Amino acid sequence: MPKAAKAHFFCSACGNEEPRWFGRCTSCGAWNTAAEAPAAKSGAAAAKSVRARWAPAGAEGAARGPRPLADVDVAAAKRAGTGLAELDRVLGGGVVAGSIILVGGDPGIGKSTLMLQLAGSLARRGAPVLYVSGEESEEQVRLRAGRLGEIPPSLFLLCETDLEAVLEAAARLKPVALVADSIQTLSRAGLEGGPGTVTQVRECALALLHYAKGSNAAVFLVGHVTKDGAVAGPRVLEHMVDAVLYLEGERYQHYRVLRAAKNRFGATHELGVFEMTDRGLAEVANPSAASGCASGVTTCS
């Protein structure tokens, strides 16, 4: 009989892996952050199939070898505007094809509204966009979208929490952008623990990373935040993605500030300001002139 693979442990703060349980992480020094990541053949096989599925043409079944950096064509990684000027500025001029972006914020702050507006704006150009909701029904998303304006025919909705089903749908649709709302609701078969656990969040994000880089589609992950203000899940999640954006503000105030905590394709000092209205988030082009903008959002001034 083949020997069963042993479980290993990793630090939920920095992602450092160890063969046995530990009280203090030897890498970052954090205490009580050990999380078990049981070895599962089905999970490993699924991860391998995801990499193979999105490998470049002619590279299926073979490892990608090194190539001269000067020969890499950067035309495919072009930057495109989202249709939301405030978001474009925070991203550094638009979204880069094949990038993966994490958007965090407190519950009710407007993350889903912003992502639905983004998806609609991109879909109005005619290319398909896939919005995946794991927290709302189709009817709930449709009602919310109806308040945001006209719904373009190229915007597709999938209410699903099984990541494999999401990837299969994306393979058929071939969207230019995929929004996962939220990463904490997705799960993969073959891994212990339910949606939102450290292992599930890490592995689902890794699979979506392979999808983004292989398909050249932009992927947006909506993430919940903890009481400390950090995105829930392993800290390694923030290291995986290309950009980390936070939507901030007082829940019962009108104004929201979007800032970048990490951006591989631009600066992190830019801010985007929005006003929450009954028709979604409206861009505030001149925050200093907006009455009450500094109320609850000190960074507006």
Side-chain angles (χ1 to χ4, degrees):
M1 290 181 63
K3 185 182 294 185
K6 293 183 179 180
H8 62 279
F9 297 83
F10 66 92
C11 174
S12 60
C14 69
N16 178 52
E17 296 189 3
E18 298 287 348
R20 57 181 63 85
W21 185 89
F22 54 88
R24 183 183 184 187
C25 176
T26 58
S27 178
C28 68
W31 287 93
N32 301 320
T33 56
E36 184 175 0
K41 287 186 177 180
S42 56
K48 184 177 180 180
S49 67
V50 169
R51 288 193 296 269
R53 181 186 308 170
W54 304 112
E60 292 82 355
R64 298 176 62 183
R67 58 185 298 194
L69 181 59
D71 293 346
V72 177
D73 183 12
V74 297
K78 59 183 179 181
R79 191 188 295 269
T82 64
L84 301 173
E86 295 294 296
L87 176 58
D88 286 344
R89 183 168 63 250
V90 175
L91 289 174
V95 61
V96 176
S99 62
I100 180 166
I101 299 165
L102 177 63
V103 181
D106 292 329
I109 202 68
K111 302 183 300 297
S112 297
T113 298
L114 178 61
M115 289 297 98
L116 196 53
Q117 287 183 236
L118 165 70
S121 178
L122 293 175
R124 288 186 184 93
R125 300 172 184 174
V129 175
L130 179 60
Y131 187 95
V132 180
S133 177
E135 301 179 346
E136 297 178 285
S137 66
E138 293 180 347
E139 293 75 16
Q140 289 174 317
V141 178
R142 176 62 179 81
L143 285 172
R144 184 156 49 85
R147 296 194 297 268
L148 304 179
E150 182 182 355
I151 302 175
S154 297
L155 177 56
F156 292 83
L157 171 66
L158 176 65
C159 293
E160 182 60 72
T161 58
D162 180 13
L163 183 66
E164 299 306 322
V166 171
L167 293 175
E168 289 297 335
R172 294 191 300 270
L173 187 62
K174 294 181 174 58
V176 295
L178 184 152
V179 177
D181 186 8
S182 65
I183 185 62
Q184 281 87 4
T185 62
L186 295 176
S187 63
R188 302 199 68 176
L191 296 175
E192 292 186 5
T197 58
V198 171
T199 301
Q200 288 285 3
V201 170
R202 183 181 68 168
E203 295 303 317
C204 288
L206 182 60
L208 288 169
L209 172 66
H210 289 311
Y211 165 73
K213 303 308 178 185
S215 67
N216 219 31
V219 173
F220 292 84
L221 307 178
V222 176
H224 300 307
V225 298
T226 64
K227 61 182 180 181
D228 298 325
V231 176
R235 184 61 56 84
V236 70
L237 176 62
E238 297 186 10
H239 298 308
M240 286 182 185
V241 300
D242 296 311
V244 180
L245 309 182
Y246 283 98
L247 188 62
E248 302 171 333
E250 295 294 332
R251 183 175 180 180
Y252 300 105
Q253 297 291 335
H254 293 296
Y255 293 97
R256 305 287 187 265
V257 171
L258 184 69
R259 66 176 179 88
K262 170 188 176 181
N263 190 356
R264 287 177 178 158
F265 306 114
T268 57
H269 64 270
E270 294 287 356
L271 296 176
V273 182
F274 298 86
E275 181 181 6
M276 181 63 77
T277 70
D278 57 356
R279 295 185 63 83
L281 288 165
E283 298 178 83
V284 179
N286 187 5
S288 61
S291 175
C293 184
S295 177
V297 187
T298 57
T299 49
C300 282
S301 57

